[in-house]
Amino acid sequence: MAQIDIFGSYNNVGIQKITDGEYNFEPNFYNKNEADRLYNVLLQNVSWKQESMNIYGKKINLPRLTAWYGDTEKYYSFSGIHLQPLPWLPELSKIKEKIQQFANAEFNSVLLNLYRNGNDSISWHTDAESELGINPIIGSVNFGETRKFQLRHKRTNEKIEIDLNHGSGLVMQGSLQHHWQHQVPKISRPAEQRINLTFRFIKTL
Ligand SMILES: O=C(O)CCC(=O)C(=O)O
Ligand SMILES: [Mn+2]
């Protein structure tokens, strides 16, 4: 967890090697001013959509709004939803450049999530879709409300929790996606909106 220790700094910053994977967490990826500005720009300019899933013939709304931007206008399927990437917005391209440098990797698309309140969430899953290949690198950038990001080892059930704060960056890499699931659970306390961007490299785009 991104706990503040007695020296006033986070205890899980930088590259963290865990069982069967690694992650790199930077709570101050953007400074407060820049994070505030980007939060507003994204809230207003991203084409947020309510997507739904078909579960046993019933249309179920995802518990968050989403948007998908990428290099081409080909379709991509994610959790049974078929999405067509929109062309990059200038601010999204800039965020991509910055997270590419931090991750030391190239990305060609970004999935955005808008968690409107504490009732919005994403449940246990991996980002190991076949289009992402072996050991995919996922670059996550966060604005708005701090929410808990939980990792759970598929075999040992080991759990890790990271508070993804306003302006933070997180890279998941190594074999992490093959061995760990992740989620952002609902919370009962009142919560402001949160924007999450997960940058990916899709081999077939
Ligand atoms: O909101 C987050 O931090 C995670 C989002 C996520 O896991 C995803 O979109 O695949
Ligand atoms: Mn994910």
Side-chain angles (χ1 to χ4, degrees):
M1 203 188 310
Q3 276 163 342
I4 311 241
D5 66 23
I6 51 166
F7 302 107
S9 56
Y10 294 89
N11 65 3
N12 60 350
V13 173
I15 296 185
Q16 305 292 315
K17 297 204 188 288
I18 56 175
T19 316
D20 300 323
E22 59 187 64
Y23 69 87
N24 191 359
F25 176 54
E26 175 48 69
N28 302 309
F29 187 64
Y30 283 105
N31 67 35
K32 168 96 171 58
N33 281 350
E34 191 59 2
D36 287 353
R37 192 184 68 78
L38 288 168
Y39 172 79
N40 288 316
V41 167
L42 295 174
L43 201 56
Q44 285 160 25
N45 296 299
V46 166
S47 173
W48 300 107
K49 293 266 152 55
Q50 173 69 70
E51 299 287 349
S52 62
M53 281 210 280
N54 219 318
I55 299 174
Y56 303 117
K58 262 183 91 178
K59 191 173 157 251
I60 309 279
N61 281 347
L62 291 188
R64 59 191 182 280
L65 302 185
T66 57
W68 180 251
Y69 290 79
D71 281 359
T72 77
E73 278 157 38
K74 275 197 207 163
Y75 282 95
Y76 176 68
S77 76
F78 170 78
S79 296
I81 302 163
H82 299 283
L83 296 168
Q84 184 174 22
L86 297 164
W88 292 102
L89 299 174
E91 291 296 351
L92 282 176
S93 299
K94 284 189 211 144
I95 301 170
K96 177 168 86 92
E97 293 297 318
K98 188 167 161 71
I99 190 79
Q100 283 187 156
Q101 284 203 354
F102 180 61
N104 195 21
E106 194 190 328
F107 298 117
N108 61 7
S109 57
V110 62
L111 180 65
L112 294 100
N113 295 298
L114 175 59
Y115 300 84
R116 293 158 292 185
N117 53 47
N119 219 20
D120 274 356
S121 61
I122 190 164
S123 58
W124 292 115
H125 69 281
T126 66
D127 296 344
E129 290 94 9
S130 57
E131 295 92 334
L132 301 177
I134 294 166
N135 292 350
I137 301 175
I138 309 289
S140 150
V141 181
N142 305 282
F143 301 106
E145 183 77 42
T146 297
R147 294 285 295 262
K148 285 201 188 311
F149 182 84
Q150 301 177 324
L151 288 157
R152 175 174 78 180
H153 195 284
K154 290 203 260 184
R155 183 172 43 83
T156 66
N157 225 24
E158 187 184 341
K159 289 197 182 66
I160 293 173
E161 217 167 70
I162 307 168
D163 286 328
L164 293 181
N165 59 282
H166 184 47
S168 63
L170 171 74
V171 175
M172 294 184 275
Q173 57 196 31
S175 59
L176 190 145
Q177 291 310 324
H178 304 299
H179 297 279
W180 295 77
Q181 295 179 307
H182 54 270
Q183 74 165 355
V184 176
K186 296 183 194 305
I187 46 172
S188 51
R189 67 172 165 84
E192 294 299 322
Q193 305 197 89
R194 165 179 185 258
I195 295 172
N196 163 264
L197 299 82
T198 53
F199 289 87
R200 300 139 193 255
F201 187 87
I202 299 175
K203 306 227 162 195
T204 50
L205 258 193

